[in-house]
C-alpha cells in the first residue's frame, strides 16, 4: 500500500473506505479531530480553514447525524455549504446520479459528501470526478449500502480514545481492550468499517449476533464470532450495539424483536458480567428497548452515545480540513 502521508501532509484525495487506511492516517485524523474538539469549546467556534471552498452534501438516503454534523463541520470551517435534497431535485425528472455530481462539480464544488443506499456509488462518483477534475475534487463516503461508513468508524475511534485519555487521544490506547460489536452485523456498514479501524488499533475485537445476522463468512476478517452474547461478555471493556436494519432484511431473519432483545439486547444485568468500567456505544438511530434498554441509553455513567454524536463534528471537521488541503492546526 502506497504511503498516504508524506512529511505530515495529508495525501489521500478521497475517503471511501478504511480498508487501506495506514496507522499514520488514523493518528493524523484523531489528532486533528482533537485540535478541532478544542476549537469547538471556544466562544468563537469558527475557523477560516476552508474559506472560499465549497462543500456539497449529496445525501441520496435519509440521515440525521451524519448529514447535519457534516453541515455543521463545514460551516465551522467557514466553507460554503450546499445541501442536496433528492426529493426536490432533478433526479425526479430522470437525471442520473453521475450527472447530478457533474452538476455540482460544474458549480465549483471542492468536496462532495455522498450517502447512498447502494454500495459503490461514492466510488463511482470519485472515479468520475478524477476523470473530470484531474484530482481537484475530494469525495467522502458518508455511508454506501452495507459496504462502508468510514467517518462513523473514525468518530467511534475518537470517542473511544478520548474516553480513555481525553488529553492525549491515540488509537493505540485501544490495544488489548476487549470490544464486542453486537447485533445486525450482516447489514451493517458501520460494523464493516469499525472492524478495519479497531483491528488497526490493536483491540481484542469480537463479533456477536444471531446466526442469521452474523454468517460464518465474517470469520474471514480474522476476529472471533459468537452466536451467544452471554458467552462473550466476561472481561468486555466496550460494547458497540448495532441497529437492527429491518429495512434491509428480506424474509424472516428474526423470530421477533422481543426475542431478539431477550437474547442480544443490552441490559444492566448483562453489563454486570463485563469489565466493571464497561461502556456502551451505538451509532444511532436506536430502536429503544430492542438493541438496548431505554434507561441504559440515557445513563451517562454507562453510555458513550452522546460522546459519539459530539465527536462526529470534530472528526468530520478534521477530515474536511485535511482533504481540503490543510496541515495540522497549531
Ligand atoms: N450513524 C448514522 O449514520 O446515523 P444517521 O443515519 O442519522 O446519519
Amino acid at each position: 500500500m502506497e504511503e498516504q502521508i508524506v512529511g505530515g501532509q495529508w495525501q489521500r484525495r478521497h475517503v471511501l473506505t478504511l480498508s487501506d487506511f495506514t496507522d499514520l492516517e488514523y493518528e493524523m485524523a484523531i489528532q486533528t479531530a482533537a485540535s478541532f474538539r478544542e476549537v469547538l469549546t471556544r466562544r468563537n467556534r469558527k475557523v477560516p480553514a476552508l474559506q472560499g471552498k465549497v462543500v456539497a452534501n449529496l445525501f441520496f438516503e435519509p440521515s440525521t447525524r451524519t448529514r447535519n454534523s457534516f453541515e455543521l463541520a463545514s460551516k465551522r470551517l467557514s466553507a460554503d455549504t450546499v445541501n442536496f435534497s433528492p426529493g426536490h431535485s432533478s433526479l425526479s425528472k430522470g437525471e442520473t446520479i453521475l450527472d447530478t455530481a457533474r452538476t455540482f462539480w460544474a458549480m465549483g464544488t471542492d468536496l462532495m459528501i455522498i450517502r447512498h443506499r447502494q454500495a459503490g456509488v461514492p466510488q463511482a462518483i470519485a472515479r468520475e470526478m478524477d476523470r473530470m477534475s484531474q484530482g481537484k475534487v475530494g469525495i467522502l463516503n458518508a455511508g454506501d449500502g452495507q459496504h462502508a461508513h468510514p467517518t462513523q468508524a473514525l468518530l467511534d475511534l475518537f470517542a473511544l480514545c478520548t474516553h480513555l485519555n481525553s488529553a492525549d487521544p491515540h488509537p493505540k490506547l485501544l490495544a488489548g481492550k476487549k470490544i464486542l460489536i453486537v447485533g445486525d452485523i450482516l447489514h451493517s456498514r458501520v460494523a464493516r468499517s469499525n472492524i478495519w479501524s479497531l483491528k488497526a488499533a490493536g483491540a481484542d475485537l469480537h463479533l456477536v449476533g444471531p446466526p442469521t445476522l452474523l454468517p460464518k463468512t465474517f470469520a474471514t476478517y480474522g476476529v472471533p464470532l459468537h452466536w451467544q452474547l452471554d458467552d462473550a461478555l466476561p472481561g468486555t471493556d466496550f460494547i458497540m450495539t448495532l441497529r437492527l436494519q429491518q429495512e434491509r432484511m428480506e424474509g424472516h431473519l428474526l423470530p421477533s424483536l422481543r426475542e431478539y432483545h431477550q437474547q442480544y439486547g443490552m441490559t444492566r444485568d448483562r453489563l454486570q458480567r463485563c469489565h466493571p468500567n464497561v461502556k456502551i456505544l451505538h451509532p444511532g438511530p436506536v430502536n429503544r428497548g430492542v438493541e438496548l434498554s431505554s434507561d441504559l441509553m440515557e445513563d451517562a455513567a454507562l453510555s458513550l452515545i452522546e460522546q459519539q454524536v459530539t465527536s462526529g463534528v470534530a472528526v468530520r471537521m478534521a477530515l474536511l480540513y485535511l482533504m481540503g488541503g490543510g496541515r495540522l492546526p497549531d
Side-chain angles (χ1 to χ4, degrees):
M1 157 72 208
E2 193 181 82
E3 187 59 80
Q4 298 286 346
I5 297 168
V6 180
Q9 179 79 41
W10 184 267
Q11 297 291 309
R12 186 181 288 271
R13 187 180 314 139
H14 311 300
V15 174
L16 301 171
T17 170
L18 297 182
S19 63
D20 60 353
F21 245 52
T22 63
D23 284 353
L24 202 52
E25 285 175 302
Y26 282 116
E27 192 75 38
M28 207 164 172
I30 296 300
Q31 286 192 17
T32 310
S35 301
F36 283 123
R37 185 190 51 171
E38 189 277 317
V39 168
L40 291 171
T41 63
R42 294 181 194 163
R43 205 154 63 94
N44 178 7
R45 292 177 282 179
K46 213 161 170 164
V47 288
L50 291 188
Q51 216 159 42
K53 300 270 184 187
V54 178
V55 177
N57 269 323
L58 308 186
F59 279 62
F60 300 91
E61 184 194 75
S63 162
T64 298
R65 280 148 281 269
T66 314
R67 176 180 160 138
N68 290 295
S69 62
F70 262 121
E71 181 175 351
L72 198 53
S74 53
K75 285 179 171 163
R76 294 272 184 249
L77 294 167
S78 307
D80 297 319
T81 310
V82 192
N83 284 314
F84 165 80
S85 303
H88 297 97
S89 77
S90 291
L91 284 177
S92 58
K93 301 175 197 162
E95 187 160 59
T96 67
I97 291 169
L98 283 184
D99 280 339
T100 303
R102 285 188 202 105
T103 303
F104 278 89
W105 169 74
M107 288 191 277
T109 298
D110 299 287
L111 293 164
M112 292 184 195
I113 300 150
I114 316 287
R115 170 173 287 194
H116 200 283
R117 61 192 287 274
Q118 277 188 319
V121 169
Q123 293 77 355
I125 293 176
R127 281 193 299 275
E128 182 62 6
M129 287 303 113
D130 284 347
R131 193 181 69 78
M132 293 193 70
S133 77
Q134 283 88 43
K136 292 197 183 77
V137 177
I139 306 296
L140 270 147
N141 182 356
D144 64 322
Q146 299 173 21
H147 170 239
H149 196 346
T151 64
Q152 177 70 44
L154 288 171
L155 76 85
D156 291 338
L157 186 65
F158 184 71
L160 289 164
C161 296
T162 48
H163 170 72
L164 291 170
N165 186 343
S166 176
D168 191 14
H170 287 282
K172 297 295 175 192
L173 288 166
L174 289 174
K177 297 287 181 194
K178 184 171 178 182
I179 303 181
L180 309 185
I181 302 182
V182 180
D184 184 358
I185 313 260
L186 176 65
H187 299 105
S188 178
R189 56 196 177 207
V190 173
R192 287 175 176 84
S193 289
N194 265 292
I195 291 171
W196 293 119
S197 54
L198 296 175
K199 276 187 67 176
D204 175 20
L205 181 64
H206 298 246
L207 305 181
V208 186
T212 47
L213 299 178
L214 177 58
K216 283 182 182 164
T217 50
F218 276 83
T220 55
Y221 283 102
V223 295
L225 311 185
H226 304 263
W227 292 284
Q228 300 294 331
L229 172 60
D230 291 327
D231 296 345
L233 293 174
T236 297
D237 296 288
F238 298 102
I239 300 178
M240 189 177 288
T241 53
L242 297 175
R243 183 173 70 88
L244 281 184
Q245 302 196 30
Q246 294 179 75
E247 73 278 16
R248 294 189 208 274
M249 292 186 193
E250 287 169 10
H252 299 285
L253 297 179
L254 293 169
S256 70
L257 296 183
R258 197 160 153 264
E259 191 162 323
Y260 177 84
H261 182 68
Q262 275 170 3
Q263 290 195 36
Y264 297 98
M266 290 317 304
T267 60
R268 286 183 192 275
D269 283 350
R270 286 203 161 108
L271 290 185
Q272 282 184 354
R273 305 186 53 195
C274 301
H275 188 280
N277 296 329
V278 67
K279 296 285 178 281
I280 305 172
L281 298 95
H282 192 302
V286 176
N287 294 308
R288 282 177 182 257
V290 179
E291 296 109 22
L292 69 165
S293 57
S294 211
D295 63 310
L296 281 186
M297 190 176 160
E298 282 149 24
D299 188 335
L302 293 168
S303 164
L304 296 183
I305 295 172
E306 240 176 70
Q307 286 90 320
Q308 286 174 276
V309 176
T310 306
S311 298
V313 179
V315 166
R316 288 170 176 134
M317 282 176 83
L319 289 169
L320 291 169
Y321 174 78
L322 292 166
M323 291 171 67
R327 285 185 169 270
L328 281 171
D330 293 334

